[in-house]
Amino acid sequence: MTAPLTGFSRLAPTRSWLSAHPTAFDAGLAAAVLLCMVVASFADPHGPHGPTFGTRTPEIRSLLLMVTAAGALVFRRVRPVPVVAVTGALSVAELVAGDPPAPVAMSVVVALYTVASRTDRPTTWRVGLPTMTVLTGAAVLFSSAPWYSQENLGLFAWTGMASAAGDAVRSRRAFVDAMRERAERAERTREEEARRRVAEERLRIARDLHDVVAHHIALVNVQAGVAAHVMDRRPDQAREALSQVREASRSALNELRATVGLLRQSGDPAAPTEPAPGLAVLEPLLDGFRRSGLPVRLARTDRGTELPAAVDLAAYRIVQEALTNVRKHAGAAAKAEVSVVRVGGTVEVTVLDHGRPAGPGPEGAEGAEGTEGTDGETVAGGGSGGHGLVGMRERVTALGGTLTAGPRYGGGFRVQAILPVEADAEGDVDG
């Protein structure tokens, strides 16, 4: 088994090249058919002791007809029916003028096979049957041999077998294509079914998470309210309420861990044990960008202000992603400024850069929307980045804030996020 497989592997590049250059293949086939016709034209089927080779020489007329018929085969793929008509007419001309005729009909056999393999069955019948009838009739009428001679019967058989073989190849090719399409369709159906099941399972898990969080947070809220109400007058009852809060929170954490664990894949890394980053570690983040060659200045008025964990993380990530965009898109000479300002019940995070100049006109004006990239993102210099701004906008919107991003007047880019700090304490815990 090894030797045949090795031979097929060696022929693979040649087959690929021939598939990519069908005209070259047809030219080679035409040359091979011409060679066969010329060699066979030296044979005399009516020799004294049967067919003999080398006892006759083809005439110039026959050579011209064979060359023309072979040349027509170069166009057999693009014009299969006209090629049958041309080769058939040339063959009839040779049958009428030559005795014994040169085997120009070999070209008709190849042309009929092409029609049958590359068209449909009705076309094969409409083209093949008249061609067989005309060629066989011309051979019978204009040949000096009896009508039942070997040459006449062979011409009828070869033209018929060419049509049958081409039709079989076409049917086989259609069957293989249908099986391949059915397999691809089945594969797509399996993938869609798997995605649908995954979506349904995730929806079920999300509902479970909602039920767990809503129930336990509501219990914690009630018990915490009781503890605050009786803290001074009945400390024992307050301690009991706080114990209930602790037990409910522990139970909620355990159930959340078990539920979220269902979403983890086998290769996912373990959950991090360090706290989530926030504005408290903003300076180390900026130092990292400074070491990479991006000058960054920081101005902030929120020192000593404690932010909610979600807001603190969102502010940190916005600064990180905005500076990453500056580093990637604003050019080597870019500089950046970061400001974090507490204004009433909100915190404003602004990242400016002095990168590539914005284009003239309204696109470069401050507050303009900027240039939309292929993925809907606006980046410095009018280019298209990854999903940075999209992720920042989703993060800010989830917290109830607003995000604006666009080119600055005179050049550069600005990203500003306004995040609410004071949440509504009267919100419905149950969602």
Side-chain angles (χ1 to χ4, degrees), residues 217-231:
I217 295 301
L219 181 60
V220 167
N221 187 34
V222 171
Q223 294 295 337
V226 171
H229 183 69
V230 301
M231 179 66 71

PDB file of all heavy atoms in Angstrom, residues 217-231:
ATOM      1  N   ILE A 217     -29.454  38.719  48.522  1.00  0.00           N
ATOM      2  CA  ILE A 217     -29.247  40.140  48.765  1.00  0.00           C
ATOM      3  C   ILE A 217     -30.457  40.750  49.444  1.00  0.00           C
ATOM      4  O   ILE A 217     -30.331  41.631  50.318  1.00  0.00           O
ATOM      5  CB  ILE A 217     -28.935  40.864  47.442  1.00  0.00           C
ATOM      6  CG1 ILE A 217     -27.604  40.360  46.880  1.00  0.00           C
ATOM      7  CG2 ILE A 217     -28.857  42.365  47.641  1.00  0.00           C
ATOM      8  CD1 ILE A 217     -26.429  40.557  47.807  1.00  0.00           C
ATOM      9  N   ALA A 218     -31.657  40.303  49.062  1.00  0.00           N
ATOM     10  CA  ALA A 218     -32.851  40.784  49.770  1.00  0.00           C
ATOM     11  C   ALA A 218     -32.810  40.399  51.242  1.00  0.00           C
ATOM     12  O   ALA A 218     -33.136  41.205  52.129  1.00  0.00           O
ATOM     13  CB  ALA A 218     -34.105  40.220  49.094  1.00  0.00           C
ATOM     14  N   LEU A 219     -32.385  39.172  51.532  1.00  0.00           N
ATOM     15  CA  LEU A 219     -32.279  38.729  52.925  1.00  0.00           C
ATOM     16  C   LEU A 219     -31.224  39.538  53.676  1.00  0.00           C
ATOM     17  O   LEU A 219     -31.438  39.961  54.820  1.00  0.00           O
ATOM     18  CB  LEU A 219     -31.944  37.240  52.951  1.00  0.00           C
ATOM     19  CG  LEU A 219     -31.827  36.593  54.342  1.00  0.00           C
ATOM     20  CD1 LEU A 219     -33.141  36.715  55.097  1.00  0.00           C
ATOM     21  CD2 LEU A 219     -31.428  35.133  54.207  1.00  0.00           C
ATOM     22  N   VAL A 220     -30.098  39.771  53.041  1.00  0.00           N
ATOM     23  CA  VAL A 220     -29.043  40.571  53.668  1.00  0.00           C
ATOM     24  C   VAL A 220     -29.546  41.986  53.945  1.00  0.00           C
ATOM     25  O   VAL A 220     -29.285  42.574  55.001  1.00  0.00           O
ATOM     26  CB  VAL A 220     -27.795  40.580  52.767  1.00  0.00           C
ATOM     27  CG1 VAL A 220     -26.807  41.650  53.232  1.00  0.00           C
ATOM     28  CG2 VAL A 220     -27.124  39.215  52.774  1.00  0.00           C
ATOM     29  N   ASN A 221     -30.257  42.548  52.965  1.00  0.00           N
ATOM     30  CA  ASN A 221     -30.774  43.901  53.132  1.00  0.00           C
ATOM     31  C   ASN A 221     -31.717  43.998  54.318  1.00  0.00           C
ATOM     32  O   ASN A 221     -31.640  44.930  55.135  1.00  0.00           O
ATOM     33  CB  ASN A 221     -31.480  44.333  51.842  1.00  0.00           C
ATOM     34  CG  ASN A 221     -31.894  45.792  51.873  1.00  0.00           C
ATOM     35  OD1 ASN A 221     -31.200  46.623  52.457  1.00  0.00           O
ATOM     36  ND2 ASN A 221     -33.005  46.110  51.257  1.00  0.00           N
ATOM     37  N   VAL A 222     -32.617  43.029  54.430  1.00  0.00           N
ATOM     38  CA  VAL A 222     -33.583  43.051  55.554  1.00  0.00           C
ATOM     39  C   VAL A 222     -32.862  42.886  56.883  1.00  0.00           C
ATOM     40  O   VAL A 222     -33.095  43.642  57.846  1.00  0.00           O
ATOM     41  CB  VAL A 222     -34.638  41.950  55.345  1.00  0.00           C
ATOM     42  CG1 VAL A 222     -35.506  41.814  56.590  1.00  0.00           C
ATOM     43  CG2 VAL A 222     -35.495  42.263  54.123  1.00  0.00           C
ATOM     44  N   GLN A 223     -31.969  41.920  56.999  1.00  0.00           N
ATOM     45  CA  GLN A 223     -31.286  41.672  58.255  1.00  0.00           C
ATOM     46  C   GLN A 223     -30.370  42.841  58.639  1.00  0.00           C
ATOM     47  O   GLN A 223     -30.242  43.185  59.819  1.00  0.00           O
ATOM     48  CB  GLN A 223     -30.460  40.390  58.156  1.00  0.00           C
ATOM     49  CG  GLN A 223     -31.304  39.131  57.984  1.00  0.00           C
ATOM     50  CD  GLN A 223     -32.174  38.847  59.198  1.00  0.00           C
ATOM     51  OE1 GLN A 223     -31.884  39.285  60.313  1.00  0.00           O
ATOM     52  NE2 GLN A 223     -33.271  38.127  58.988  1.00  0.00           N
ATOM     53  N   ALA A 224     -29.724  43.441  57.632  1.00  0.00           N
ATOM     54  CA  ALA A 224     -28.895  44.608  57.935  1.00  0.00           C
ATOM     55  C   ALA A 224     -29.742  45.760  58.442  1.00  0.00           C
ATOM     56  O   ALA A 224     -29.332  46.503  59.361  1.00  0.00           O
ATOM     57  CB  ALA A 224     -28.115  45.031  56.684  1.00  0.00           C
ATOM     58  N   GLY A 225     -30.911  45.950  57.871  1.00  0.00           N
ATOM     59  CA  GLY A 225     -31.807  46.989  58.372  1.00  0.00           C
ATOM     60  C   GLY A 225     -32.249  46.724  59.796  1.00  0.00           C
ATOM     61  O   GLY A 225     -32.324  47.652  60.625  1.00  0.00           O
ATOM     62  N   VAL A 226     -32.552  45.480  60.107  1.00  0.00           N
ATOM     63  CA  VAL A 226     -32.932  45.123  61.488  1.00  0.00           C
ATOM     64  C   VAL A 226     -31.772  45.391  62.438  1.00  0.00           C
ATOM     65  O   VAL A 226     -31.953  45.946  63.539  1.00  0.00           O
ATOM     66  CB  VAL A 226     -33.368  43.651  61.546  1.00  0.00           C
ATOM     67  CG1 VAL A 226     -33.551  43.212  62.998  1.00  0.00           C
ATOM     68  CG2 VAL A 226     -34.658  43.452  60.759  1.00  0.00           C
ATOM     69  N   ALA A 227     -30.556  44.994  62.040  1.00  0.00           N
ATOM     70  CA  ALA A 227     -29.399  45.213  62.914  1.00  0.00           C
ATOM     71  C   ALA A 227     -29.169  46.695  63.163  1.00  0.00           C
ATOM     72  O   ALA A 227     -28.869  47.111  64.297  1.00  0.00           O
ATOM     73  CB  ALA A 227     -28.155  44.584  62.276  1.00  0.00           C
ATOM     74  N   ALA A 228     -29.303  47.517  62.148  1.00  0.00           N
ATOM     75  CA  ALA A 228     -29.112  48.951  62.332  1.00  0.00           C
ATOM     76  C   ALA A 228     -30.193  49.549  63.222  1.00  0.00           C
ATOM     77  O   ALA A 228     -29.936  50.493  63.986  1.00  0.00           O
ATOM     78  CB  ALA A 228     -29.107  49.647  60.958  1.00  0.00           C
ATOM     79  N   HIS A 229     -31.392  48.999  63.153  1.00  0.00           N
ATOM     80  CA  HIS A 229     -32.495  49.543  63.938  1.00  0.00           C
ATOM     81  C   HIS A 229     -32.386  49.199  65.423  1.00  0.00           C
ATOM     82  O   HIS A 229     -32.751  50.018  66.293  1.00  0.00           O
ATOM     83  CB  HIS A 229     -33.819  49.011  63.376  1.00  0.00           C
ATOM     84  CG  HIS A 229     -35.025  49.553  64.067  1.00  0.00           C
ATOM     85  ND1 HIS A 229     -35.428  50.876  63.962  1.00  0.00           N
ATOM     86  CD2 HIS A 229     -35.933  48.942  64.897  1.00  0.00           C
ATOM     87  CE1 HIS A 229     -36.522  51.062  64.695  1.00  0.00           C
ATOM     88  NE2 HIS A 229     -36.851  49.890  65.267  1.00  0.00           N
ATOM     89  N   VAL A 230     -31.903  48.031  65.763  1.00  0.00           N
ATOM     90  CA  VAL A 230     -31.880  47.586  67.168  1.00  0.00           C
ATOM     91  C   VAL A 230     -30.476  47.585  67.752  1.00  0.00           C
ATOM     92  O   VAL A 230     -30.274  47.018  68.839  1.00  0.00           O
ATOM     93  CB  VAL A 230     -32.496  46.187  67.290  1.00  0.00           C
ATOM     94  CG1 VAL A 230     -33.927  46.173  66.782  1.00  0.00           C
ATOM     95  CG2 VAL A 230     -31.651  45.158  66.528  1.00  0.00           C
ATOM     96  N   MET A 231     -29.503  48.174  67.042  1.00  0.00           N
ATOM     97  CA  MET A 231     -28.117  48.116  67.497  1.00  0.00           C
ATOM     98  C   MET A 231     -27.941  48.692  68.892  1.00  0.00           C
ATOM     99  O   MET A 231     -27.263  48.114  69.747  1.00  0.00           O
ATOM    100  CB  MET A 231     -27.218  48.864  66.498  1.00  0.00           C
ATOM    101  CG  MET A 231     -25.745  48.885  66.890  1.00  0.00           C
ATOM    102  SD  MET A 231     -25.003  47.231  66.852  1.00  0.00           S
ATOM    103  CE  MET A 231     -24.956  46.927  65.104  1.00  0.00           C
TER     104      MET A 231
END
